[in-house]
Amino acid sequence: MTARSTSAAHRNARRAGAIALAWALIAAAATVDAQDARMKVVLDTDIGTDIDDGWALGYALKSPSFDLVGVTVSDADTPQRARLACKLLYRLGRTDVPVAVGRQTAAVPADRLDYQFAWAEDFEAYKPIATPAVEFLADIIRKNPGQITLVAVGPLQNIGDLVRLHPDVVPLVKRVVLMSGSIGPNASSPVPVAEWNVRLAIPEAQRVYAASWPLTIVPLDATTYVRLDDQERESLRKAGTPLVIALEALLRLWTERPTSRMTLHDQLALAETQHPGRFFGRCDATPVRVDDKGYTRVDQKNGRPVNVCLEPKRDEFMRHYLAQLAAK
């Protein structure tokens, strides 16, 4: 090879290296942009009683749209609930997600046994943070003004306390989505009922519904029509991923009798968060207030506008949900 050809080869190599570097920088920038574009979400949950909470946390972790920046736990034995959430996060390698414990309250009923707690009763490898849930919420909202979406799928002690103790953060919240309420008939009742998440924390629910933030609810009117059937469960079980194995274990602990089937209350709230309006026939702005007995009343005079999601597109949602959980 001549000196001239050697020099040309060196120039070409440098040019190729510069091009490769440029593409690497572009790819890295695109990755950062994609991460920045993900929705910052905090999931507030009473994980450990009904089964849908654990399966909802799994869904939130698998969503490519979510940047799950924290989990807060509410209602009754919150330290036990937090331990369960921590174990699920640990099993999935997500110890980057902090878990904050809400205040303890009396169990309803008092003799209730939450068998899912047994799955994590001796777990110590990943622990909740020391900051109480309400202070964690206030802090992360202030650090990310206009960016945090709160998704609450349990009784509203934490979110209600946030409004009461830190009203300044209310206008800083991007959106609030609740699995909450009962506006009309549902699959279990021909008339509205005092829904569990509202009834167990009525003063807190009243504050949350009355606060001046963008509020969407996914009520019993929608969720009670969406249940996991045996074929879907078996199809998911065959995926055999660490998440699916953990969720199946929790489901077996929760199952009270052979006829028990999971209703996907909380997952539908997360689906609405991920894809607003996609999985419902209607999402109507409706004036709603919470009365002193825990009913979510449509009240044209005293209600505050709330986006109410109705008419679930069950099959479309289930295809999306199961595929997201099963993804490697």
Side-chain angles (χ1 to χ4, degrees), residues 22-320:
W23 278 112
L25 292 172
I26 291 170
T31 300
V32 170
D33 288 344
Q35 291 173 341
D36 290 344
R38 289 187 301 158
M39 188 188 311
K40 294 183 184 297
V41 170
V42 176
L43 178 64
D44 185 71
T45 174
D46 59 337
I47 187 171
T49 298
D50 204 346
I51 185 59
D52 53 331
D53 294 80
W55 285 58
L57 176 53
Y59 177 27
L61 289 167
K62 296 294 285 188
S63 169
S65 306
F66 292 161
D67 177 10
L68 186 64
V69 296
V71 174
T72 54
V73 293
S74 70
D75 193 55
D77 192 345
T78 48
Q80 286 276 30
R81 298 191 192 284
R83 185 176 291 113
L84 199 162
C86 283
K87 183 174 181 179
L88 190 55
L89 289 166
Y90 180 84
R91 289 284 293 270
L92 297 179
R94 292 300 309 273
T95 54
D96 59 307
V97 179
V99 176
V101 184
R103 59 181 167 90
Q104 291 185 259
T105 60
V108 179
D111 61 350
R112 186 177 77 202
L113 291 175
D114 293 318
Y115 291 104
Q116 293 178 76
F117 290 168
W119 187 69
E121 61 185 353
D122 298 323
F123 179 74
E124 297 288 341
Y126 178 51
K127 297 182 180 181
I129 61 175
T131 306
V134 68
E135 301 305 325
F136 168 78
L137 288 168
D139 184 56
I140 201 162
I141 291 166
R142 290 187 181 115
K143 288 179 178 177
N144 299 275
Q147 298 180 59
I148 299 295
T149 297
L150 301 178
V151 185
V153 296
L156 292 165
Q157 291 99 340
N158 290 333
I159 311 301
D161 286 355
L162 178 69
V163 176
R164 176 172 60 88
L165 297 173
H166 301 284
D168 63 291
V169 306
V170 169
L172 304 181
V173 174
K174 180 179 180 180
R175 188 186 185 203
V176 178
V177 182
L178 310 179
M179 189 282 116
S180 180
S182 172
I183 304 299
N186 63 70
S188 304
S189 173
V191 296
V193 298
E195 187 269 326
W196 177 265
N197 289 341
V198 177
R199 181 163 56 87
L200 260 63
I202 294 172
E204 292 87 351
Q206 289 174 329
R207 285 193 287 270
V208 172
Y209 274 73
S212 298
W213 47 21
L215 177 61
T216 295
I217 65 169
V218 180
L220 295 179
D221 314 43
T223 63
T224 52
Y225 295 97
V226 182
R227 303 178 77 188
L228 182 72
D229 68 30
D230 292 344
Q231 183 178 356
E232 290 165 337
R233 176 181 175 181
E234 180 62 16
S235 174
L236 182 63
R237 189 185 65 81
K238 290 178 179 178
T241 65
L243 172 61
V244 168
I245 292 169
L247 297 183
E248 177 67 20
L250 292 173
L251 183 57
R252 294 184 186 202
L253 286 169
W254 168 82
T255 302
E256 183 178 6
R257 56 183 65 89
T259 56
S260 297
R261 298 291 181 274
M262 175 172 57
T263 302
L264 283 76
H265 301 287
D266 299 348
Q267 296 95 318
L268 280 165
L270 280 163
E272 166 59 21
T273 306
Q274 184 180 15
H275 298 292
R278 173 178 167 183
F279 300 112
F280 298 93
R282 297 165 50 201
C283 289
D284 300 332
T286 306
V288 176
R289 68 175 177 86
V290 176
D291 73 14
D292 291 338
K293 294 183 178 180
Y295 286 83
T296 41
R297 304 288 190 186
V298 176
D299 186 331
Q300 296 292 338
K301 182 179 179 181
N302 299 308
R304 185 182 167 276
V306 173
N307 207 37
V308 180
C309 296
L310 303 170
E311 300 174 5
K313 300 176 182 178
R314 192 260 178 209
D315 292 344
E316 181 181 351
F317 162 71
M318 289 301 297
R319 286 191 295 269
H320 161 80

